[in-house]
Amino acid sequence: MAIHFDILTLFPGLFDGVFDESIVKRAREAGLVTIALHNIRDYATGRHRITDDTPYGGGGGMVIKPEPVAAAIEAVLGEALGTVPVVLLTPQGRLFNHQVARELSRQRRLLLLCGRYEGVDERVRELLVTDEISIGDYVLSGGEVAAMAIVEAVTRLIPGALGDPGATFEDSHAEGLLEYPHYTRPTVFRGHAVPEVLLSGNHAEIVRWRRRQALRRTWQRRPDLLDQARLSAEDLAYVQELEEGNQTTPSQVATLEDLCYNTGGKSQRL
Ligand code: 6GU
């Protein structure tokens, strides 16, 4: 069930420490995850080991040269080339989500190729890349942060990586809904009390309340997720209730106003 990640980057120093804490650290110690960082520059030739060059056709920025990237992929994978997914991290990739993390977690080995600058020469993609992933619709300076996100999200899905096996299942998105709110001691904090039901000891009521909170939050903040979620007849009835209430119609994506709490008590909608 273990997974090996090969991460190819021009900036291996960016990963310093990020896999040395918490769940990824424990998963590594348990042998569930192994991670090898490879500096693409080590595979560049010539006295200056140049890895980038100006784009044909002009325009700004630099493009990562194909030779060092191809050499790095081939050297790292060796005989395994063709059997291991070669994932390019790029804003042009398919969007990363819980489903994609699940899919990747079924692999035994993954190569994550971090792009930088304007991108990697297209021939690398044509010849060697088998998958392209983006972590969202915004531009990062490189794929490194995306690689970190993928390693962490995938590691959490490896059986045994989390102490509590129930934790993955109840996670936000695992069931297609946002999570219900969490509380711990004290029962009153700065005048804000923990919802009564959570102190009641009535387990069935607590389960029902949490489910409704998850549905309500998802309805308010991410109505797009509700269309995909597996909902029971009771869930659907509750969503119907929300729709029929005088709540403001949710927008497709949460707006600033939707999320505008802690503004001095003016707009505490959620
Ligand atoms: Cl994977 N790379 C870069 N450079 N920017 C991104 C991204 C990836 N995902 C979202 N933005």
Side-chain angles (χ1 to χ4, degrees), residues 88-92 115-117 133-144 146-147 150:
L88 175 63
L89 285 334
T90 163
Q92 278 80 51
R116 273 268 151 179
Y117 315 118
I133 291 177
S134 161
I135 61 164
D137 292 333
Y138 42 80
V139 176
L140 300 169
S141 307
E144 285 80 5
I150 289 170

Side-chain angles (χ1 to χ4, degrees), residues 38 42 45 51 61 83 85-86 137 159 163-164 167 174 212 215 222 225 251:
H38 308 278
D42 292 343
T45 53
T51 54
T83 70
V86 174
D137 292 333
D164 169 13
R212 289 184 165 212
L215 288 163
R222 293 293 307 278
L225 294 179
S251 55

